[in-house]
Amino acid sequence: MPALASHRKPRTRVRSTTPAVGLTTAALAGVTLLSTQSATAAPASPRPSIEDVQKKVDDLYRQAGTATQQYNQAKEASAAQRGKVDALLDDVAKRADKLNDARRTLGNYAAAQYRTGSIAPSATFFLADDPQAYFDQNQLMGRMAGRQQKAVTDFRTQQAAASKKRAEAAKSLETLTESQATLRTSKENVQKKLGEARAMLSKLTAEEKARLAALERKKEAEAKRKAEELARQQAAAKAEADRKAEEAAKQAGSGGDTGTGTGTGSDSSATTKADKVLAFARAQIGKPYVWGATGPSSYDCSGLTQAAWKAAGVDIPRTTWDQVEIGTRIATADLQPGDLVFFYDDISHVGIYKGDGMMIHAPKPGANVREESIYYMPIYGSVRPA
């Protein structure tokens, strides 16, 4: 009998896929982890453009200029307060001497009274050998009592005055301490801003430094172009004014007016002062800018303008904020040599106008006193000190 065929399907050997699933799961987990890390990691900060660097550095120098003016202001206030304190302390010392003199006088009277003792006037009269001598002595003692009273009054007056002056001196010392603290803070602010500017410039590559220099040259060229345009406008305005003056002189001559005119003395004096201001300023060209400096080997911007006008016999304040408040305000189109031109909304910089749209100024740390277009920085306004 033949063997019956088996109806059971042959068993297929199935390979286990567990290891593959494990590898795939691990790979997916790794990819997910990397994706998560990439998503959560802070993106690298983009490198600022050269234009941004230029703007930032210029702004830091401007802030340093503002802090410099704050330093100058605090330094002046501190010096003035120191002088006041010294004067008060001298006064206190003198009043202490007067108080000691009054105290010694009182001491002498007290010692004399102790030596003579205290005897009733009636007893003194009866014990006296000569009644007339008693009356003479009593009158003398009355005068001495009056002097004693005056000595007491003087002592009290000197004591009150000395106490008042000591209180004033103590208060002035507190103000001086505050001024010195402001001075230190202003100095730290200047150094901080300059340090930030130097740090930013030090990170530039050679190529970036070259591009920054090119931007500076472009900025200077544009400022120079504007200065030349102002010079042409001023020259045209002067020519027109001269023409009108000449016509007025001819008309006055034909009318028989032999007057020589007035007001030339004042104009001549102003011109002479301006000449002295510019002569001094030109002599400082090439000297370094140093914040807080007033010469003679270095200057900051307002230190230069103050020294230049002092050379012309005119005293002007120390800071830009005070200098802008003096003299007469002048429109840019009407600028004349010697006028002061102020820059930025916070009035943190100043230069001396020399004509043709140009100025002489102490620019910033790392630069020297030089001639430059007044349009290199945004103009705030101008004044004519005298």
Side-chain angles (χ1 to χ4, degrees):
M1 179 175 177
L4 295 174
S6 174
H7 296 285
R8 184 181 299 174
K9 291 183 179 180
R11 179 179 296 177
T12 304
R13 294 178 62 89
V14 180
R15 297 178 59 186
S16 174
T17 58
T18 302
V21 172
L23 288 173
T24 303
T25 304
L28 287 173
V31 170
T32 303
L33 179 60
L34 289 174
S35 299
T36 303
Q37 289 176 341
S38 299
T40 57
S45 299
R47 193 172 181 83
S49 67
I50 291 300
E51 290 79 8
D52 289 339
V53 170
Q54 182 190 41
K55 183 178 179 180
K56 181 63 176 177
V57 168
D58 287 347
D59 188 55
L60 284 170
Y61 278 130
R62 181 194 60 77
Q63 292 178 40
T66 302
T68 297
Q69 295 307 312
Q70 291 171 340
Y71 171 84
N72 294 338
Q73 190 177 55
K75 187 176 181 180
E76 272 207 327
S78 180
Q81 195 63 32
R82 167 55 67 186
K84 185 177 180 180
V85 167
D86 289 344
L88 282 170
L89 290 176
D90 288 342
D91 194 295
V92 167
K94 291 176 182 177
R95 290 183 183 277
D97 290 339
K98 291 180 179 180
L99 185 62
N100 289 333
D101 290 341
R103 184 179 286 110
R104 280 192 292 271
T105 300
L106 281 179
N108 292 335
Y109 282 128
Q113 187 175 8
Y114 176 79
R115 286 194 300 270
T116 58
S118 178
I119 304 176
S122 56
T124 304
F125 174 76
F126 287 114
L127 292 173
D129 295 332
D130 183 359
Q132 183 62 42
Y134 164 76
F135 286 115
D136 292 342
Q137 184 180 16
N138 191 50
Q139 186 177 10
L140 175 62
M141 293 303 293
R143 288 198 298 270
M144 289 184 65
R147 286 195 293 270
Q148 289 178 8
Q149 183 61 41
K150 183 178 182 301
V152 171
T153 301
D154 288 345
F155 174 78
R156 289 175 177 171
T157 301
Q158 296 297 336
Q159 189 179 42
S163 178
K164 181 180 179 181
K165 287 298 178 182
R166 279 196 296 269
E168 289 181 18
K171 187 174 181 180
S172 292
L173 280 172
E174 290 179 4
T175 304
L176 176 60
T177 301
E178 293 173 1
S179 297
Q180 291 174 333
T182 302
L183 186 64
R184 285 192 296 271
T185 301
S186 299
K187 183 176 182 179
E188 291 169 359
N189 287 341
V190 175
Q191 294 172 332
K192 178 183 177 182
K193 297 302 179 184
L194 294 180
E196 290 177 11
R198 284 192 291 265
M200 181 168 284
L201 291 173
S202 68
K203 294 177 182 178
L204 297 179
T205 64
E207 180 185 357
E208 289 172 330
K209 290 179 180 178
R211 289 167 57 196
L212 181 61
L215 285 177
E216 285 294 320
R217 288 192 295 271
K218 182 179 179 181
K219 180 180 178 182
E220 291 170 1
E222 177 61 17
K224 184 178 179 182
R225 183 193 66 77
K226 291 182 178 180
E228 291 171 349
E229 177 60 27
L230 176 62
R232 284 192 293 269
Q233 293 174 0
Q234 289 181 328
K238 184 178 184 304
E240 179 65 14
D242 291 344
R243 184 187 66 78
K244 289 182 178 180
E246 187 177 352
E247 287 182 358
K250 288 180 180 179
Q251 291 177 0
S254 62
D257 187 355
T258 58
T260 57
T262 59
T264 57
S266 176
D267 293 342
S268 176
S269 174
T271 301
T272 300
K273 289 177 181 176
D275 289 342
K276 291 180 179 179
V277 168
L278 286 176
F280 180 90
R282 288 191 183 99
Q284 313 314 310
I285 291 177
K287 293 183 179 181
Y289 175 103
V290 174
W291 62 272
T294 57
S297 58
S298 59
Y299 298 88
D300 64 18
C301 65
S302 56
L304 175 63
T305 53
Q306 184 187 45
W309 270 97
K310 187 172 184 178
V314 178
D315 289 327
I316 66 174
R318 175 67 179 93
T319 69
T320 55
W321 302 322
D322 292 326
Q323 290 179 6
V324 76
E325 298 294 334
I326 65 171
T328 306
R329 293 299 293 265
I330 302 295
T332 301
D334 300 326
L335 283 169
Q336 294 180 7
D339 291 345
L340 301 182
V341 186
F342 298 87
F343 302 90
Y344 301 112
D345 290 340
D346 60 0
I347 323 175
S348 55
H349 192 72
V350 62
I352 303 169
Y353 190 68
K354 69 174 288 289
D356 297 330
M358 302 292 287
M359 66 176 170
I360 299 175
H361 71 141
K364 59 186 179 182
N368 297 331
V369 175
R370 67 192 182 201
E371 292 185 10
E372 198 154 48
S373 167
I374 62 172
Y375 293 102
Y376 185 78
M377 294 167 283
I379 297 174
Y380 172 84
S382 306
V383 301
R384 187 166 298 151

